[in-house]
Amino acid sequence: MNQWKNFIKGLFKENPALVLLLGLCPTLGTTTSAINGLGMGLATTFVLVMSNMVVSLVKNAIPDKVRIPSFIVIIASFVTIVEMVMQAYTPELFDSLGLFIPLIVVNCIILGRAEAFASKNNVASSIIDGIGMGLGFAFALTLLGGIREILGSGSLFGINIPIFPLDANGNPQTMLVFVLAPGAFLGLGYLIAIKNRLSKK
Amino acid sequence: MEYILIIISAIFVNNIVLAKFLGVCPFMGVSNRLSTAAGMGGAVTFVLTLATIVTYILQKYVLEAFGIEFMQTITFIIVIAALVQMVEIMLKKISPPLYQALGIYLPLITTNCAVLGVAILAAGNTDFDLLKSAVFAFANALGFALALVIFAGIREHLELMEVPKGMKGVPIAFVTAGLLALAFMGFTGLV
């Protein structure tokens, strides 16, 4: 029961992207489509789970004074692994996420969970915390990516959704601004407002 | 002329916060007051320029020379973390007033993705030599400071406005940032 609570808190009550407001750069930068958001979310989840596990395993061996640099090295190693694997197996996703893959290393969620949770709890709870937080992050990114993709390009996961009227050339007249930079800020702002409204009830 | 193009492009056209989404966390976090925003802008300008110069030299003469480019992420983040620490210690010794002004923002900069992001962008650009990378980094940092100061100014006024209940606080800040990004899109095509 306790582990279930530990798992579920990352999805809603302490959702990293919508409530804790951590890791905003990838949340805004990679969510031009649902598939990009999902890819980024899963890559972050992998790094989060692995680094939580390793930090929890070695927490007693690391002196307190050098713990932050040690955590960063552990995280950076896993980010390098993700980078190489994605480059080899999903080159398209690797290209569209671009700079934001190496930047997983400075995602505040990962260092934040290592410091606040994994360095104080046992391995099993740390892994579950990592999965919950990671999936919560992936969920928020996919949601925002989906909304931006539907409004901005009239599709979802690459499948056409014909809700927009066609122009003279037969192309859908979508709200292009949602794929561009301002749409990310607007989309996330309204998403957080909706989340606040729902959790007040 | 080339340098002027790099500067205008980095500050206005491809603004690091509003177009490239780097450094959004401090952009949202420390933009409540104009004075703290200016302090953070100054600290980032200093560290970002220095970090890009150091990582550029490292990339060209160590990583590429030995063919170990895949170590980029790990080396860069360690160098930046060490550099921030060093700047903090030196500033405390050399210029206490400057340390007073920037000190509290320095530890936050290690996890500012703008610093690592610009370092990676500069190291990956084959057109850039050392001077161009330094100019690029400085201009990006100025763009960050500009966006931060404008945003803090708007948010100070926003506090006195009547905002719908559900939009109070963070949501309205994001919508404001969205409108600011929309305004900066007007610079597209300038360079």
Side-chain angles (χ1 to χ4, degrees):
Chain A
M1 191 58 212
N2 211 2
Q3 295 290 34
W4 174 248
K5 249 186 210 160
N6 186 12
F7 172 72
I8 205 79
K9 74 171 189 293
L11 288 177
F12 297 104
K13 220 172 84 207
E14 290 181 32
N15 188 300
L18 297 179
V19 181
L20 303 180
L21 297 181
L22 295 173
L24 290 175
C25 305
T27 307
L28 296 167
T30 63
T31 50
T32 47
S33 70
I35 191 77
N36 283 356
L38 186 63
M40 188 68 208
L42 292 182
T44 309
T45 306
F46 171 77
V47 176
L48 187 57
V49 173
M50 296 309 278
S51 70
N52 255 8
M53 184 180 82
V54 172
V55 164
S56 172
L57 279 171
V58 298
K59 63 176 184 285
N60 294 326
I62 297 176
D64 218 30
K65 273 191 178 155
V66 293
R67 68 177 195 287
I68 300 282
S70 325
F71 292 168
I72 291 181
V73 175
I74 292 169
I75 296 166
S77 317
F78 286 113
V79 171
T80 308
I81 294 171
V82 168
E83 225 180 317
M84 289 166 124
V85 170
M86 284 182 83
Q87 200 168 11
Y89 292 103
T90 54
E92 265 175 42
L93 195 60
F94 181 82
D95 284 340
S96 61
L97 296 182
L99 184 62
F100 285 97
I101 297 171
L103 286 182
I104 295 175
V105 80
V106 282
N107 190 323
C108 335
I109 300 170
I110 297 174
L111 192 62
R113 292 326 283 177
E115 167 77 3
F117 196 92
S119 63
K120 295 187 186 88
N121 288 283
N122 62 22
V123 180
S125 325
S126 300
I127 292 176
I128 291 171
D129 175 76
I131 297 174
M133 281 285 167
L135 289 183
F137 186 64
F139 166 70
L141 257 67
T142 315
L143 189 63
L144 182 60
I147 292 171
R148 286 180 66 190
E149 198 184 343
I150 292 173
L151 294 177
S153 4
S155 62
L156 186 61
F157 286 107
I159 302 161
N160 253 342
I161 296 177
I163 50 168
F164 291 104
L166 302 180
D167 63 9
N169 299 323
N171 297 317
Q173 291 172 309
T174 57
M175 293 186 249
L176 200 60
V177 72
F178 273 92
V179 181
L180 301 172
F185 287 110
L186 294 175
L188 188 60
Y190 282 109
L191 212 56
I192 294 172
I194 293 168
K195 166 76 184 58
N196 285 350
R197 184 82 185 81
L198 287 179
S199 55
K200 264 212 187 92
K201 273 182 187 168
Chain B
M1 190 59 205
E2 233 175 315
Y3 295 104
I4 297 172
L5 280 184
I6 291 177
I7 291 170
I8 292 181
S9 154
I11 295 181
F12 295 112
V13 183
N14 293 311
N15 186 284
I16 185 162
V17 184
L18 299 169
K20 284 197 235 151
F21 302 116
L22 298 176
V24 179
C25 298
F27 181 68
M28 283 291 160
V30 296
S31 56
N32 287 326
R33 287 268 156 273
L34 206 53
S35 53
T36 49
M40 186 69 180
V44 166
T45 308
F46 190 57
V47 172
L48 209 157
T49 313
L50 202 60
T52 306
I53 295 171
V54 173
T55 51
Y56 182 86
I57 295 170
L58 204 70
Q59 169 82 9
K60 284 281 158 335
Y61 297 103
V62 180
L63 294 182
E64 280 178 17
F66 292 101
I68 45 169
E69 287 96 337
F70 64 89
M71 291 290 284
Q72 195 191 46
T73 312
I74 299 185
T75 8
F76 278 21
I77 190 69
I78 295 173
V79 167
I80 290 170
L83 200 70
V84 171
Q85 199 90 108
M86 200 184 74
V87 167
E88 201 180 341
I89 295 169
M90 278 170 64
L91 220 55
K92 211 187 228 168
K93 202 86 188 154
I94 298 169
S95 165
L98 198 62
Y99 178 76
Q100 286 283 315
L102 305 182
I104 47 166
Y105 306 105
L106 284 173
L108 295 173
I109 290 177
T110 313
T111 53
N112 182 341
C113 30
V115 179
L116 184 62
V118 170
I120 292 174
L121 280 177
N125 194 326
T126 44
D127 292 340
F128 281 2
D129 53 21
L130 185 58
L131 187 60
K132 271 186 201 161
S133 297
V135 171
F136 176 72
F138 184 65
N140 266 309
L142 282 187
F144 176 79
L146 178 73
L148 193 63
V149 168
I150 294 177
F151 191 52
I154 298 176
R155 274 185 93 172
E156 276 195 351
H157 282 277
L158 210 58
E159 264 174 30
L160 307 171
M161 299 293 154
E162 265 186 52
V163 177
K165 218 168 155 197
M167 297 295 287
K168 260 196 184 120
V170 181
I172 193 72
F174 271 109
V175 173
T176 311
L179 295 177
L180 201 57
L182 206 56
F184 266 72
M185 266 177 69
F187 291 115
T188 313
L190 198 64
V191 174

